[in-house]
Amino acid sequence: LASGSKDLTCRIWHVYTQAYTPPVVGHERRITSIAVSPDSTLVATGGNDNKLFFWTARATANRELNGPVELCIDDHHTRRHNFPVSKCAFSPDGKLIVYGTTQWWHAINLETGDEVSGYDAGATVVSSAMVPSSSQPAVVLAVHSTDNRCVVWNYMRETDAVDAASMLHASPVRSMAVSPDGGVLVVGCEGGSVSVWDLPRRVEIGKVAVSAAMLPLPPVASGAGPASSTSLSSSAAVSGALAQPHGAPVTALAYSPDGARLAVAVAALSSRRAACQLWQARAGTSQQVGDVLLLK
């Protein structure tokens, strides 16, 4: 696990032991995005200093970071865009780095440093998700707009790189994730819902409401009596349900490597605490998100 922080440092964490390597420093302003290459040999960090750095991960027990080696974003690129690097991701084959500076997006060949393609989203991109399948070289981008649209950018094309069909949402998009097979897109919205899309067909196949009742109550102050418990039945979230008023914003989504589960991070509301929930992602061409488990 790699992390970047507002203290300008980058670390590698060992998930099972929770130990971490000594921090490395290179950015002059807050780190806003981070990505690990598929073979775990490179870590990319983007920051508010308008730079994208690459750190080599040594093949040692501690996997300490070396660098930084600044690639791709030279002085010309920095002057041309003059925006923070808000998102970055490696292509599934590890040959490209795809990054965004607000509305401008670029795909760079890591071996040559040449730009493969670029895309102007026309407005700020608020969320992005790399399609993890090598057979579908694409990134899903959520664009800040009145129709809260998501578009699919094929970063290997120079022309007709974006489909004419957009995936529209009723409220602003906060998070996205693509299933490991590239077949399903899940989109978390500000209004408290997760939309489920058949990505190849660009068709919405389900929607899950994330209501305040699904979030844990705040801890009870000492001497205030026992806390109330909240139980979640399997029908707490049913595909096709409409988002409820006062829904909890879905701030992050992530699939498990086998695509069987979906981790959902939900923001706190005035009367409820923030939570991370584990959802069962059902397989099949009409995959739907179903049973909800609240992680304590």
Side-chain angles (χ1 to χ4, degrees), residues 86-202:
S86 58
K87 303 287 183 182
C88 64
F90 288 92
S91 62
D93 60 9
K95 295 180 179 180
L96 305 177
I97 184 75
V98 179
Y99 69 93
T101 56
T102 58
Q103 73 183 52
W104 291 92
W105 281 72
H106 305 269
I108 302 294
N109 184 308
L110 287 172
E111 183 176 352
T112 65
D114 295 332
E115 182 169 303
V116 176
S117 63
Y119 172 59
D120 179 5
T124 301
V125 173
V126 295
S127 185
S128 63
M130 175 70 73
V131 178
S133 172
S134 297
S135 61
Q136 302 179 61
V139 178
V140 184
L141 305 175
V143 182
H144 180 70
S145 57
T146 56
D147 53 10
N148 306 307
R149 70 183 183 273
C150 293
V151 298
V152 180
W153 171 42
N154 186 322
Y155 50 79
M156 293 301 294
R157 296 179 185 171
E158 294 184 1
T159 59
D160 299 325
V162 178
D163 292 341
S166 297
M167 294 169 281
L168 309 182
H169 299 83
S171 63
V173 174
R174 292 287 299 272
S175 56
M176 294 189 295
V178 179
S179 62
D181 63 1
V184 175
L185 169 71
V186 288
V187 180
C189 293
E190 180 76 27
S193 66
V194 175
S195 297
V196 187
W197 294 79
D198 182 314
L199 186 55
R201 296 190 298 135
R202 313 289 194 264

Side-chain angles (χ1 to χ4, degrees), residues 45-119:
T45 57
N48 281 341
D49 53 4
N50 308 334
K51 293 180 180 179
L52 181 66
F53 283 108
F54 291 88
W55 311 81
T56 57
R58 293 190 302 193
T60 64
N62 292 329
R63 297 203 70 83
E64 294 182 358
L65 295 176
N66 289 334
V69 180
E70 189 176 359
L71 304 175
C72 308
I73 309 294
D74 55 22
D75 290 339
H76 170 71
H77 282 86
T78 302
R79 287 197 304 268
R80 176 183 175 187
H81 303 298
N82 199 30
F83 287 113
V85 178
S86 58
K87 303 287 183 182
C88 64
F90 288 92
S91 62
D93 60 9
K95 295 180 179 180
L96 305 177
I97 184 75
V98 179
Y99 69 93
T101 56
T102 58
Q103 73 183 52
W104 291 92
W105 281 72
H106 305 269
I108 302 294
N109 184 308
L110 287 172
E111 183 176 352
T112 65
D114 295 332
E115 182 169 303
V116 176
S117 63
Y119 172 59

